[in-house]
Amino acid sequence: MRKQIAAAVLTATLLTSGLAQGAATAAPDGIDIPFTRFTLPNGLTVIVSEDHKAPVVAVSVWYRVGSADEPKGKTGFAHLFEHLMFQGSENHKDEFFRPFELAGATDQNGTTWFDRTNYYETVPTTALDMTLWMESDRMGHLLGAIGQKDLDEQRGVVQNEKRQGENQPYGRVDQRISANAYPANHPYHHDTIGSMKDLNAASLDDVKHWFGAYYGAANVTVALVGDITPDVARQKMLQYFGDIPAGPPVARQQPWAAERSESTRDTMQDHVAQTRIYRQWNVPALGDQDSLQLELAASVLGGGKTSRLYERLVYKDKLADSVSVGVQPFALASQVQMQVDVKNGVDPAKVEAAVADEWNRFLKDGPTADELARVKVGTRANFVRSLEKVNGKATILAEGQVYRNDPAAYKSDLARIESATPASVTAAAKKWLAKGDYTLTVTPAAKDADFSNEDELERPGRAELAGRPAAVLPPKHDFSTVESKVDRSKGVPEVASFPDLSFPKLQRGKLKNGIEVVLAERHEIPVVQMQMLFDAGYASDQGRKLGASAFTMAMLDEGTKELDSLEIARRAERLGAEIGSGSGLDTSSVGLNALSSQLEPSLKLYADIVRNAAFREGDMTRIRGQWLARIAQEKTQPTGLALRTLPPLLYGAGHAYAIPFTGSGTEASIQSLTQDDLHAYVRDFVRPDNARILVAGDTTLEAITAKLDAVFGDWKAPDSARPKKNIAEVAAPAKPRVFLMDRPGALQSLILAGVVAPSTKAKNNLEIQTMNGAFGGSFTSRLNMNLREDKHWAYGAFSFLQNALGQRPYLMYAPVQTDKTGESVAEILRESKDVIGPKPLTHAEIEKIKVGDVRSMPGEYQTTGAVLGALSGIVLYDRPDDYVQTLKPRIEAQTDAAVQAAAVEIIKPDALTWVIVGDLKKIEQPIRDLKLGEVKVIDAEGKALR
């Protein structure tokens, strides 16, 4: 370590004299991400932004290559190569994630898109050397570590990622749109996942070519944001990356919107619950003068409840359950896309006629000043909220550099948004959205329709088009490397120390009417978040109509005694506030996310929603229709089907938790809900003597208590008693049970196995969590390493616990390729038996989870929302106020024996309840052959068919 630091100091003069440098200046509007930019001698661009609120650093590595750079016959390769980058490198021949799990990394992943591939992680400041060593080792020393076995493994993983995506409702749509939006010779004609045929053809020679052509240092931008200074960044980046060759010049694809002059149409069938209409326009690339004007236009047309199309189609004409319009910005061309979920029984032609009427009116008259002002406020408020996490800021800076050669490009975007006028937005809309649309209508297919042998990438789409601009090579540079003093043969640098967690001290107060207030102050951004928490939740549906809790809470912001649904939404938009209500398993809540400067009027609106719900019949009818559509959609989703049916099987009829864990209830129960039911629910549960208010953010206890007293202090509880929930204890079944659900033509089978575990309040909850992390709760856990990395039968396989005041479900989850369903079930069962039998958790497995949990805490509580979540856990599970601050010694005190005892207590292979969703004609017999126990085939309602 000392030699490495000395080498960095010796070469520091290169960084102050021979490197291109730049520094950002503060923006006059107050929104600013200060940064320093410099370039290493090998051409690698570095952006550094200091943010010392937490002892963590976000490392974001962006390669300027994506699926748009794939030649014909190589679709999907950019993304496949991204997977290979996690397979280890020449000096670290193991999973890339392992050192990061031990270091407590958060927000770690890699992604591929049309124009770039990025890899990112947020790590404790003391783990920065390890992180830069790892990133530089795979950038400069990869090929010697990748063999045919690695390629075959990740090919299988990616193909299951493709199956998993396409196995979802509407999962084949994106490729159909890409193929018809862009001509066959456009870089965006195919989507990122690629075709099965091309993935099968990928070779090691392709790997070597891709790495050599695109993964040179001069094609890379690294953003470092957090507890770091520019001087330290200069030293360390040169130390670890300075010896990596620049690589050959990479020709840059040039913008090409390839807009159409005529409207085109297409249809598709899929296993979906309702007809959906997609409409798409090709528009200019990211950074174009018109692109932001079109984003504003899209928001006015379909950006939420108060948008033109939503108000017309959902509220007024009642033709659709939802509608949205948005912009997907890319480096070569962007897309404006409209999406409408047509109400069942409605003629799609009527929907299109109403859309055309509103669209033409907008093109003629443009947005009103009020519409535009509300969109501007929302855009700026959302941007401010995005600055809390260092990884979010790293993304903003890196995107600006990679796509526009300006890390501060966001400033010009915000300025353009602020200066936009109704006339400028209308002009852009008339230019780009008046012609050349592509419409795709997706309709429900017959239940036995089989699309498993179809690959959208093999279908013809839009024909080639003349006029594609030639790619342009960058200006010539004389890049050079710097001799490295890093001895990579010593392996990954050890992380010897870790920073302590900084978490705000909880403060408690009370309102005049006795409502408790719990506050955690955070002043990094001018935002206050709060949650009014009620002891209710899905479990309070017991003895009522299923779904009553979630439906009632969802209706709170749909109208008060004085304000209708749309006026509530408009007022929230003008304030830049976000208000939402809902239910979980044990609690219901109403949340507020407000700008500090608008806190008082935001609280006034918030209190009106909590206290004065109107439950008008018209609003109930509208939400009921959307709710029933949601239930129908859940029944077309493999995971939705499983989560609806497994809990009643685990807990038994009549139990408070024997409900669909989606919380949506059943069609019959939702159909039968009345205004009286909702008012009765509010009377029983949404009341001050059943409430606590949790607050986190930019305020003080004195200030927030006074503001809350002004709007809630005179709220009185009704005379009626609060109902008591009855969450009974249940015993594990005496033997395994298997329930199969048929989904003809499914590309994968969804395996969900569950057993009932102790409450989150259990004394050994930490040991249970640690056990789960080692068994199936982390990337390098036993389940995932088996089914994904070893067998590559799944994109991911995990186990997880649903928090609950009563006994909670412990679930094992794996979407697997259809032809490996039986074998996958057998492997999950074998792992379950091994971990409580011949192969107990090892010290290394347990220690990995413990140290990762401790070391990740500084990165986990960067945001106000994360702090609020911790407050919720403290209040709900009767934890001490210093629970987070004292968590480290309690995690470290866990013994291997206690963690293994938790495994024996929780994992009961002979009492598992299995729910498996797939194509029964292909998977039923292999599952029966396993002889797990009694096998029943059930329908979407959980009723036995045979």
Side-chain angles (χ1 to χ4, degrees):
M1 288 291 288
R2 289 180 180 174
K3 288 183 179 179
Q4 293 171 359
I5 294 171
V9 172
L10 287 171
T11 55
T13 52
L14 286 170
L15 293 161
T16 55
S17 60
L19 290 136
Q21 300 183 58
T25 56
D29 60 11
I31 295 179
D32 185 40
I33 311 174
F35 69 88
T36 299
R37 175 177 54 179
F38 57 87
T39 306
L40 300 183
N42 58 6
L44 190 152
T45 301
V46 184
I47 306 162
V48 188
S49 180
E50 295 187 57
D51 181 343
H52 300 286
K53 72 175 180 288
V56 295
V57 180
V59 179
S60 196
V61 184
W62 290 55
Y63 295 81
R64 183 65 189 271
V65 60
S67 60
D69 299 293
E70 294 164 348
K72 188 174 182 179
K74 305 294 181 184
T75 64
F77 194 79
H79 176 234
L80 175 59
F81 191 87
E82 173 222 312
H83 276 244
L84 291 169
M85 285 280 279
F86 288 94
Q87 288 300 100
S89 51
E90 292 170 4
N91 301 291
H92 174 70
K93 293 174 177 160
D94 197 354
E95 293 287 340
F96 187 83
F97 288 107
R98 286 197 194 278
F100 291 92
E101 288 180 331
L102 293 172
T106 55
D107 293 323
Q108 183 174 28
N109 211 336
T111 68
T112 306
W113 208 209
F114 285 139
D115 308 298
R116 56 93 186 126
T117 308
N118 67 347
Y119 307 86
Y120 52 88
E121 51 270 326
T122 298
V123 297
T125 308
T126 52
L128 183 58
D129 281 280
M130 178 276 290
T131 302
L132 298 180
W133 188 100
M134 289 289 291
E135 289 288 0
S136 61
D137 206 61
R138 64 176 171 182
M139 184 188 295
H141 310 274
L142 180 78
L143 290 185
I146 301 298
Q148 189 64 46
K149 180 178 179 294
D150 304 288
L151 176 59
D152 291 342
E153 173 189 307
Q154 290 308 309
R155 186 200 329 268
V157 171
V158 168
Q159 287 178 330
N160 273 303
E161 182 179 357
K162 177 179 169 73
R163 292 185 186 104
Q164 187 168 322
E166 294 179 358
N167 202 40
Q168 304 305 312
Y170 311 102
R172 298 179 296 128
V173 163
D174 283 350
Q175 173 53 35
R176 179 73 67 90
I177 290 177
S178 290
N180 287 276
Y182 299 107
N185 56 332
H186 195 286
Y188 295 169
H189 182 74
H190 66 275
D191 71 0
T192 302
I193 198 71
S195 75
M196 286 292 189
K197 175 182 172 184
D198 289 351
L199 288 169
N200 280 327
S203 68
L204 280 176
D205 285 341
D206 294 326
V207 173
K208 293 174 182 177
H209 170 76
W210 195 263
F211 183 75
Y214 296 112
Y215 273 64
N219 199 38
V220 180
T221 293
V222 176
L224 303 171
V225 179
D227 187 25
I228 188 172
T229 65
D231 287 344
V232 170
R234 287 185 177 102
Q235 294 168 6
K236 292 186 182 296
M237 287 301 297
L238 193 64
Q239 174 185 355
Y240 290 108
F241 292 85
D243 66 330
I244 298 174
V250 177
R252 299 285 180 232
Q253 310 269 13
Q254 298 302 297
W256 186 29
E259 63 268 31
R260 297 173 295 268
S261 58
E262 303 292 334
S263 297
T264 56
R265 304 186 66 86
D266 197 2
T267 60
M268 171 189 278
Q269 288 194 328
D270 198 2
H271 292 294
V272 297
Q274 65 190 128
T275 296
R276 178 176 289 176
I277 300 170
Y278 294 87
R279 185 163 290 167
Q280 180 272 345
W281 291 259
N282 290 8
V283 298
L286 183 148
D288 185 273
Q289 289 285 344
D290 283 341
S291 62
L292 288 170
Q293 307 291 327
L294 292 171
E295 288 194 23
L296 294 169
S299 293
V300 173
L301 282 164
K305 271 186 183 180
T306 64
S307 65
R308 298 277 185 93
L309 289 175
Y310 198 99
E311 188 169 348
R312 172 69 182 272
L313 298 178
V314 178
Y315 279 88
K316 183 181 177 183
D317 292 355
K318 300 176 177 58
L319 298 173
D321 289 316
S322 68
V323 57
S324 63
V325 182
V327 178
Q328 291 183 305
F330 302 112
L332 308 183
S334 300
Q335 294 186 27
V336 170
Q337 189 174 114
M338 179 193 75
Q339 179 178 307
V340 184
D341 283 347
V342 179
K343 268 189 175 299
N344 281 327
V346 170
D347 184 353
K350 285 188 177 181
V351 175
E352 293 200 37
V355 168
D357 186 43
E358 287 299 325
W359 207 269
N360 291 333
R361 184 178 292 116
F362 182 84
L363 293 177
K364 178 178 177 290
D365 300 327
T368 66
D370 180 61
E371 285 175 321
L372 194 54
R374 285 187 277 116
V375 170
K376 288 180 180 182
V377 169
T379 301
R380 292 176 64 81
N382 288 336
F383 189 85
V384 168
R385 292 183 176 105
S386 75
L387 302 180
E388 273 200 284
K389 296 185 81 170
V390 290
N391 186 50
K393 292 198 281 191
T395 297
I396 291 167
L397 296 173
E399 277 186 343
Q401 175 62 35
V402 168
Y403 294 143
R404 299 158 72 179
N405 198 34
D406 179 12
Y410 68 91
K411 291 182 182 177
S412 61
D413 289 347
L414 290 172
R416 286 183 192 174
I417 288 170
E418 195 60 34
S419 64
T421 65
S424 67
V425 173
T426 306
K430 285 181 176 178
K431 181 179 178 181
W432 293 99
L433 304 181
K435 61 180 180 180
D437 55 286
Y438 164 72
T439 300
L440 174 65
T441 303
V442 184
T443 57
K447 186 178 179 185
D448 60 353
D450 188 348
F451 307 110
S452 59
N453 293 320
E454 297 183 16
D455 193 329
E456 283 292 324
L457 271 98
E458 303 300 323
R459 294 175 60 94
R462 188 177 170 191
E464 288 194 8
L465 183 69
R468 175 180 176 177
V472 176
L473 283 167
K476 186 176 180 181
H477 292 281
D478 292 323
F479 295 123
S480 61
T481 56
V482 176
E483 183 181 355
S484 174
K485 298 295 192 287
V486 176
D487 184 356
R488 293 187 180 271
S489 68
K490 293 182 178 179
V492 183
E494 181 184 358
V495 185
S497 63
F498 293 89
D500 291 328
L501 169 69
S502 175
F503 192 87
K505 182 180 179 181
L506 268 59
Q507 303 170 61
R508 291 180 182 259
K510 281 195 175 181
L511 302 188
K512 295 172 185 175
N513 59 357
I515 297 178
E516 185 179 26
V517 178
V518 186
L519 169 68
E521 289 188 37
R522 288 283 294 260
H523 300 284
E524 284 78 14
I525 66 169
V527 168
V528 176
Q529 292 188 43
M530 67 179 60
Q531 184 181 58
M532 183 171 280
L533 199 64
F534 301 98
D535 182 5
Y538 305 155
S540 64
D541 283 347
Q542 190 179 37
R544 298 173 186 262
K545 298 167 183 176
L546 287 185
S549 174
F551 191 91
T552 303
M553 297 306 294
M555 282 291 300
L556 291 185
D557 65 352
E558 293 296 336
T560 67
K561 293 172 183 176
E562 296 183 358
L563 305 177
D564 66 18
S565 173
L566 289 171
E567 184 57 28
I568 289 173
R570 291 189 190 102
R571 292 191 182 192
E573 288 171 354
R574 293 184 188 114
L575 295 168
E578 297 176 351
I579 301 174
S581 51
S583 289
L585 191 57
D586 292 303
T587 61
S588 300
S589 64
V590 186
L592 170 67
N593 187 320
L595 300 175
S596 303
S597 60
Q598 300 295 326
L599 183 56
E600 287 191 32
S602 297
L603 277 173
K604 184 178 178 181
L605 180 62
Y606 175 69
D608 192 30
I609 290 169
V610 173
R611 298 179 61 175
N612 299 309
F615 303 136
R616 296 181 181 90
E617 190 61 47
D619 293 318
M620 281 191 66
T621 299
R622 172 172 49 83
I623 298 301
R624 193 195 319 274
Q626 294 173 330
W627 208 272
L628 293 172
R630 170 185 159 189
I631 292 174
Q633 291 284 15
E634 288 172 1
K635 292 180 178 180
T636 65
Q637 299 163 348
T639 303
L641 277 169
L643 289 178
R644 289 186 64 82
T645 55
L646 180 58
L649 296 171
L650 283 178
Y651 290 98
H655 193 278
Y657 293 170
I659 54 175
F661 268 18
T662 57
S664 53
T666 66
E667 285 98 335
S669 64
I670 298 301
Q671 286 280 21
S672 67
L673 281 172
T674 66
Q675 289 173 297
D676 288 344
D677 292 328
L678 272 59
H679 282 295
Y681 189 89
V682 166
R683 180 198 66 224
D684 288 345
F685 293 105
V686 183
R687 45 195 284 171
D689 59 345
N690 191 42
R692 287 174 282 195
I693 300 176
L694 315 180
V695 186
D698 186 28
T699 187
T700 65
L701 184 61
E702 182 181 5
I704 195 63
T705 302
K707 289 180 172 64
L708 287 168
D709 255 330
V711 294
F712 287 114
D714 63 346
W715 188 23
K716 292 181 173 56
D719 294 332
S720 58
R722 284 184 294 160
K724 294 189 181 301
K725 294 183 292 185
N726 178 24
I727 304 174
E729 290 279 318
V730 297
K735 55 186 178 180
R737 300 173 297 166
V738 182
F739 298 91
L740 305 181
M741 305 181 74
D742 194 16
R743 196 166 184 266
L747 295 167
Q748 285 187 321
S749 300
L750 188 283
I751 301 169
L752 199 62
V755 67
V756 172
S759 163
T760 303
K761 297 175 71 172
K763 290 183 179 180
N764 66 337
N765 181 55
L766 286 179
E767 286 81 2
I768 293 171
Q769 296 284 1
T770 299
M771 174 279 296
N772 177 62
F775 179 67
S778 62
F779 185 88
T780 58
S781 65
R782 290 190 179 186
L783 285 180
N784 195 55
M785 293 302 291
N786 183 336
L787 292 182
R788 172 182 162 130
E789 296 296 281
D790 181 26
K791 308 291 193 311
H792 46 84
W793 295 342
Y795 179 51
F798 298 98
S799 60
F800 57 94
L801 292 140
Q802 164 78 46
N803 283 325
L805 288 170
Q807 290 168 295
R808 54 185 159 168
Y810 182 64
L811 305 176
M812 288 169 267
Y813 162 89
V816 301
Q817 62 192 69
T818 297
D819 62 343
K820 298 298 181 183
T821 304
E823 293 97 321
S824 297
V825 170
E827 286 298 311
I828 293 170
L829 182 61
R830 181 181 64 78
E831 292 285 5
S832 301
K833 290 181 175 180
D834 281 354
V835 76
I836 62 169
K839 295 182 180 178
L841 294 172
T842 66
H843 174 75
E845 288 177 304
I846 293 170
E847 193 68 14
K848 173 193 70 175
I849 301 302
K850 287 167 57 178
V851 300
D853 286 348
V854 167
R855 295 166 183 175
S856 65
M857 285 194 291
E860 286 181 343
Y861 296 108
Q862 296 178 65
T863 67
T864 306
V867 172
L868 191 64
L871 262 65
S872 180
I874 288 170
V875 168
L876 185 58
Y877 302 117
D878 300 326
R879 293 166 175 167
D881 282 3
D882 63 354
Y883 177 82
V884 176
Q885 294 93 328
T886 59
L887 192 54
K888 176 182 176 181
R890 283 182 285 113
I891 291 174
E892 292 173 337
Q894 298 174 88
T895 65
D896 291 358
V899 174
Q900 180 59 32
V904 174
E905 177 187 9
I906 303 300
I907 300 176
K908 296 179 168 52
D910 294 331
L912 287 172
T913 298
W914 300 80
V915 172
I916 304 171
V917 184
D919 189 339
L920 292 194
K921 67 179 182 291
K922 298 177 182 177
I923 69 170
E924 181 175 357
Q925 193 56 50
I927 291 172
R928 289 185 181 276
D929 290 344
L930 294 173
K931 302 188 184 306
L932 299 176
E934 184 182 12
V935 178
K936 290 184 179 180
V937 177
I938 59 175
D939 64 12
E941 304 297 333
K943 296 177 181 176
L945 299 176
R946 53 186 169 87

